[in-house]
Amino acid sequence: MFDSPLSASAYEILEVDPSVDDVELRRAYRLRLRQTHPDTGGDAAVFIQVQRAWELIGTPDGRAAYDRRTGVSSDDGAEWSGWRPPSARTDTRPRARSYGHPGGWRRERYLTLIREWAGRGVEVPDPYDPALVRSAPRELRRLLADALAEEATARTVSDLGMGFTVWHDVAISTDPDDKLDHVVLSPSGLYGIMSEDFGGVVGFRRGEITGPSVGTRAPVTATLARMRAVAKAARVKFGGAIVVLPDDDLSQAVTPLGSSRGVPVVVVRRSALAMVLRQGVPGARSIGGNELFDVRTRLQHTVRFV
């Protein structure tokens, strides 16, 4: 939860300034434990965040490492590459067939806008510097967070092997924001996937994702609409819809949200995605034999990328 460009820092969770001394930090931690404990009316999700924050900065060594990584300290901060594009693979294991560039459009947009925001003529030697990212407007940080989420899903699908085919950044219209993050074809079914990061814990209501960090967005509704557009253009049937979120933002690994027009919808933790794709979404229609080949051909001839 603390490595997302959108998430609160460990200091913000404990409600202290990053310059506070160790004694005051411990005092703040104990206070936040009392305030957020479920037995005293606190929020269980926030209580867990408080404990996780203390794990990160509760010791001098841990705090120093955290400060370097997040830009609180300038010492060696540039060594952290968690928000930079992933490096090229060097192993030779069989990979899923992959088309498109996951997170590519949003990374390009982020790089353009972060330099515009910094100001004309201002040097930006490292657009992924943690201190720079943390100080940027939320919409810029959202672009980077979404790109990171899409790249994480792409790595997971790639590792599933040659039985899987995935199309990334699938265009729905001329608007680059109107896209389906991933279309995954597997023996367990055909899935539309959105990789999201809202920067905080989410809830659910009437088949939709809710929460302060989600705002007025309706991610499930948007995902299903984009899937219908792809299905109509390619003349295929999706077996299920999957929304992937960071592990810390969900209370359980897999949350079913019912079905829409016969298409089951699930929200999954990032670490559970591989399992869901291998086993299939409950209620999803499986694909095999000649149909698998036919669906792949239809998508290959139809899909366009942002």
Side-chain angles (χ1 to χ4, degrees):
M1 69 182 70
F2 299 109
D3 284 338
S4 166
L6 288 173
S7 62
S9 72
Y11 294 104
E12 290 170 329
I13 292 297
L14 297 180
E15 297 185 349
V16 294
D17 189 271
S19 63
V20 72
D21 62 36
D22 291 342
V23 173
E24 187 61 31
L25 182 65
R26 180 176 292 275
R27 185 179 294 117
Y29 166 60
R30 290 172 175 169
L31 174 61
R32 291 291 287 150
L33 280 180
R34 292 195 298 272
Q35 291 173 336
T36 60
H37 199 289
D39 290 348
T40 58
D43 188 318
V46 179
F47 181 69
I48 293 172
Q49 287 182 327
V50 169
Q51 292 175 302
R52 175 61 178 144
W54 182 251
E55 290 175 4
L56 290 171
I57 63 174
T59 66
D61 288 346
R63 184 177 181 182
Y66 179 84
D67 289 352
R68 288 194 300 271
R69 192 171 73 245
T70 57
V72 174
S73 168
S74 60
D75 296 338
D76 301 324
E79 293 180 1
W80 191 60
S81 59
W83 294 343
R84 294 183 175 82
S87 57
R89 292 185 179 275
T90 57
D91 58 80
T92 57
R93 290 177 297 166
R95 301 291 177 187
R97 287 179 254 196
S98 179
Y99 305 93
H101 190 162
W105 181 83
R106 287 202 163 98
R107 271 204 184 269
E108 286 189 357
R109 188 66 177 151
Y110 166 78
L111 291 172
T112 297
L113 294 181
I114 195 71
R115 291 187 171 97
E116 288 183 3
W117 173 75
R120 293 184 180 275
V122 175
E123 285 289 328
V124 184
D126 182 7
Y128 301 113
D129 175 73
L132 176 68
V133 173
R134 292 289 188 192
S135 65
R138 183 174 178 82
E139 285 309 306
L140 268 67
R141 290 184 283 126
R142 181 182 294 282
L143 284 169
L144 181 55
D146 284 345
L148 292 165
E150 292 172 34
E151 290 164 0
T153 293
R155 288 192 294 273
T156 296
V157 178
S158 178
D159 287 339
L160 293 176
M162 295 182 65
F164 291 77
T165 306
V166 56
W167 294 264
H168 303 290
D169 267 5
V170 176
I172 305 301
S173 67
T174 56
D175 180 359
D177 267 326
D178 188 21
K179 70 182 182 73
L180 188 57
D181 291 347
H182 322 272
V183 173
V184 176
L185 178 61
S186 75
S188 70
L190 176 65
Y191 301 108
I193 301 179
M194 291 298 288
S195 302
E196 300 284 7
D197 181 352
F198 301 112
V201 177
V202 303
F204 306 98
R205 185 172 182 268
R206 296 180 180 177
E208 189 54 89
I209 300 172
T210 62
S213 59
V214 181
T216 59
R217 301 170 73 181
V220 172
T221 302
T223 300
L224 290 167
R226 291 163 183 172
M227 289 170 57
R228 286 192 289 269
V230 173
K232 181 178 180 180
R235 293 179 291 121
V236 298
K237 293 183 178 180
F238 279 94
I242 303 173
V243 180
V244 186
L245 291 174
D247 285 16
D248 291 320
D249 293 353
L250 293 170
S251 60
Q252 60 187 39
V254 181
T255 303
L257 295 184
S259 296
S260 175
R261 301 185 186 182
V263 177
V265 180
V266 296
V267 181
V268 305
R269 284 177 174 171
R270 192 171 290 160
S271 61
L273 178 60
M275 175 197 69
V276 170
L277 288 174
R278 286 195 181 101
Q279 297 179 359
V281 170
R285 176 176 170 273
S286 61
I287 297 176
N290 291 335
E291 186 183 8
L292 186 69
F293 177 79
D294 182 55
V295 170
R296 183 186 295 119
T297 301
R298 289 174 184 270
L299 287 167
Q300 194 68 348
H301 289 167
T302 305
V303 164
R304 299 293 180 268
F305 306 101
V306 299

